[in-house]
Amino acid sequence: MGRWQFMPLSYEALDHAASFASEQCPEGFVAVVKNTLRILSVENIGETFNQSVSRLRYTPRRLLVHQELRALLVAESDYQAVPLADNAELQKRLVDESGAPVAGPEFSAELAAELDQYGAAVGAPGQWASCIRIVDPAELSTKAVLELDGSEAITSMALVRFEGPNLPDSSLLLAVGTAEQMTYFPTSCTAGYIRLYKILERGARLELLHKTQLEGIPGALVAFKGRLLAGVGPVLRLFELGRKKLLRKCEYRQLPQHVAQLHTLGSRIYVADVQESVHFFRYNKADNKLYSFADDVHPRYITAMTPLDYDTVAAGDKFGNFFVLRLPADVSAQIEEDPTGGKLAAQMGKLGGAPHKLDNSVQFHVGDTITALARATMQPGGSEVLLYGTIMGGIGAFFPFQAKEDKDFFLHLEMHMRQEHQPLAGRDHLAFRSAYFPVREVVDGDLCAQYPAMSAAKQQAVAAELDRTPGEVLKKLEDMRNKIL
């Protein structure tokens, strides 16, 4: 069924454009941009996003954005892979097409094609190969790449600016958490480390300042009030910068399993446990202690988390569930007004947990493990959305309704679509979106977007139930899409 559809064009602004066709360009258009005449052909018109690809040496594990340098910091690690320094045969072939030496196999088209087809050289069990890469996002070119020595896997990474009276240089440092000879089932390692790097020459070089040994896996790192906050196994620990290593200032040792994610806002710390959902912490500077004042009642295997505001976090678990947890307003005010800074509330915990519980405001089953969550605006002047990425390579967005009229319209459209447009597999739509927890305060946009694919008679019937015409329903769907893209 043919229909008009607006698609964003990933190109600079055009002054004038017209359709154009020739033998070399069967379908395209001619355009004027300032004082240049251009002939354009649109490829992959059905795809929503435009993407550029840059080859990497190992599997990417972490990604950071350096705002000052306008660069990307990528951490790469592969299990049971031979490091580049130990692969003598590969080092002999590190040349490009012109015969010039290159820093790694990803810079040679021939070697990169072989790695894509056959994979990297297989090492011993427990062996890891890792590197840190600085990428210029404008040209998608590598500015610097540093191979890590030893059999260490990169498990976390953060940018931190240390503060203190004895720190004359307040530049932004790169903290990298690694685990030596890490294995799974059960998860263990011989030693954990936090490496501290200084970024020199506008991102062209990394200098190792020092390396601090830990007793567990550093699962998460984040900057906090001029210090470094680290999740080392089930321990939450605060570090200060020292001359030869990081100095331990305080810690909290009563977390259930393993710290998977860390975020901070003001004096609050949001901790995601790998099996026991989200915990809210507060740091009391006077006592130099960390206190847990709220947690979740459901055991959730967190894989991604991001704060939405001071009292709210959004997260996803490994079973494909997306949810939003919120601290009640009265409890939040009570915590902020507590003269003990959270010490009294922490002593009133229930059954080994925190004294207060988080409310589950939003619940939705995506159907795929969520690996990343981020707040973003997809176009200048557009509305902010919550983007998520999945383990199978999917990218989606949650759009917050700003008007009750829009919420009621799409809620009723979804209800009629469930009745008139049954899934091909025959499974009940509501049961799927409520696979682990009942769906709550989320409208399935994928289901609503299938309205144009229905027959004209069904479109007319659904539109009549909504007191609208089919054209108005299509216009509403297109407006919602344009608000995001």
Side-chain angles (χ1 to χ4, degrees):
M1 179 180 178
R3 61 187 178 92
W4 295 102
Q5 184 176 359
F6 288 100
M7 296 294 295
L9 183 65
S10 180
Y11 200 68
E12 53 186 306
L14 307 178
D15 296 331
H16 304 280
S19 59
F20 178 80
S22 67
E23 294 182 359
Q24 293 81 9
C25 181
E27 294 182 358
F29 54 92
V30 59
V32 176
V33 181
K34 296 181 181 179
N35 60 345
T36 61
L37 180 68
R38 308 186 183 188
I39 298 176
L40 308 175
S41 176
V42 181
E43 300 178 355
N44 304 325
I45 195 171
E47 296 185 2
T48 305
F49 297 101
N50 176 36
Q51 61 181 358
S52 302
V53 180
S54 177
R55 294 183 181 272
L56 301 177
R57 188 175 302 175
Y58 308 119
T59 302
R61 305 288 179 173
R62 294 291 185 271
L63 174 68
L64 293 177
V65 179
H66 199 301
Q67 299 289 352
E68 298 178 2
L69 299 179
R70 297 175 181 258
L72 302 178
L73 306 175
V74 184
E76 308 168 26
S77 294
D78 267 341
Y79 176 66
Q80 208 168 340
V82 179
L84 184 62
D86 299 338
N87 196 335
E89 181 181 353
L90 183 61
Q91 286 185 343
K92 296 177 182 178
R93 303 174 57 195
L94 288 180
V95 293
D96 58 9
E97 291 75 8
S98 61
V102 294
E106 67 273 17
F107 301 105
S108 171
E110 180 182 356
L111 293 177
E114 290 185 11
L115 290 177
D116 291 342
Q117 184 174 2
Y118 302 108
V122 180
Q127 186 177 20
W128 287 81
S130 304
C131 69
I132 305 170
R133 185 182 306 271
I134 302 178
V135 179
D136 181 5
E139 302 178 357
L140 213 62
S141 59
T142 299
K143 301 175 65 174
V145 57
L146 176 66
E147 186 89 9
L148 267 61
D149 55 345
S151 180
E152 297 182 23
I154 299 178
T155 57
S156 54
M157 190 166 62
L159 289 168
V160 56
R161 193 187 306 275
F162 289 96
E163 298 176 1
N166 299 323
L167 299 176
D169 187 9
S170 61
S171 60
L172 206 57
L173 303 179
L174 175 64
V176 180
T178 63
E180 185 178 3
Q181 295 184 358
M182 185 174 67
T183 57
Y184 299 101
F185 304 112
T187 303
S188 63
C189 67
T190 56
Y193 301 96
I194 296 180
R195 295 168 171 256
L196 213 57
Y197 291 94
K198 191 173 183 179
I199 304 175
L200 304 174
E201 301 173 13
R202 299 290 299 174
R205 187 164 63 90
L206 288 171
E207 178 187 351
L208 178 64
L209 296 181
H210 51 63
K211 183 176 174 181
T212 305
Q213 184 171 348
L214 308 169
E215 73 280 3
I217 300 174
L221 300 174
V222 69
F224 179 68
K225 294 184 177 296
R227 297 176 176 179
L228 178 65
L229 189 64
V232 184
V235 180
L236 189 62
R237 190 170 293 166
L238 194 60
F239 290 98
E240 275 189 353
L241 180 63
R243 292 184 178 275
K244 295 185 178 180
K245 66 176 184 178
L246 294 173
L247 306 177
R248 185 188 309 179
K249 303 307 293 183
C250 73
E251 64 180 21
Y252 183 88
R253 307 185 64 90
Q254 299 177 18
L255 283 167
Q257 297 292 335
H258 179 82
V259 178
Q261 297 273 327
L262 278 176
H263 292 277
T264 62
L265 274 179
S267 60
R268 288 189 183 178
I269 303 168
Y270 310 95
V271 181
D273 191 85
V274 75
Q275 291 185 12
E276 295 294 337
S277 194
V278 179
H279 303 255
F280 280 29
F281 278 79
R282 184 179 176 86
Y283 174 66
N284 189 341
K285 187 175 181 181
D287 295 343
N288 192 30
K289 288 187 178 181
L290 296 163
Y291 298 107
S292 172
F293 63 87
D295 58 12
D296 190 13
V297 297
H298 300 290
R300 304 178 190 266
Y301 290 62
I302 306 295
T303 54
M305 180 184 68
T306 185
L308 299 182
D309 58 38
Y310 202 54
D311 297 329
T312 314
V313 296
D317 63 20
K318 74 174 186 178
F319 300 110
N321 297 309
F322 168 81
F323 51 92
V324 174
L325 301 176
R326 178 169 295 161
L327 186 69
D330 57 338
V331 176
S332 178
Q334 177 183 343
I335 295 298
E336 293 301 316
E337 296 170 1
D338 186 358
T340 65
K343 180 178 180 180
L344 180 61
Q347 295 175 351
M348 299 171 60
K350 303 172 183 177
L351 299 177
H356 305 290
K357 301 301 174 184
L358 302 173
D359 292 339
N360 188 4
S361 303
V362 173
Q363 183 69 51
F364 186 74
H365 181 66
V366 175
D368 196 2
T369 302
I370 297 175
T371 56
L373 280 170
R375 297 167 58 180
T377 302
M378 302 301 295
Q379 58 181 336
S383 301
E384 189 178 45
V385 298
L386 185 61
L387 292 179
Y388 69 89
T390 66
I391 197 170
M392 298 299 291
I395 298 177
F398 289 99
F399 178 81
F401 288 119
Q402 298 176 355
K404 190 175 185 300
E405 179 187 355
D406 292 338
K407 174 188 172 182
D408 293 340
F409 170 80
F410 283 100
L411 195 63
H412 286 86
L413 177 60
E414 180 192 35
M415 180 182 65
H416 292 296
M417 290 292 295
R418 286 172 180 164
Q419 299 173 356
E420 301 293 340
H421 194 70
Q422 297 290 336
L424 292 176
R427 186 177 181 182
D428 181 66
H429 174 266
L430 185 60
F432 170 69
R433 293 305 185 189
S434 307
Y436 289 85
F437 300 92
V439 62
R440 179 185 177 89
E441 298 294 339
V442 178
V443 176
D444 189 356
D446 290 335
L447 180 63
C448 295
Q450 295 180 23
Y451 176 82
M454 295 195 305
S455 63
K458 287 189 175 183
Q459 288 187 28
Q460 184 66 40
V462 172
E465 292 289 341
L466 299 173
D467 294 331
R468 297 173 185 259
T469 64
E472 291 175 342
V473 176
L474 292 172
K475 180 67 166 57
K476 198 77 172 177
L477 290 170
E478 195 64 41
D479 290 344
M480 181 58 64
R481 178 185 177 89
N482 293 335
K483 286 181 181 179
I484 300 175
L485 298 176

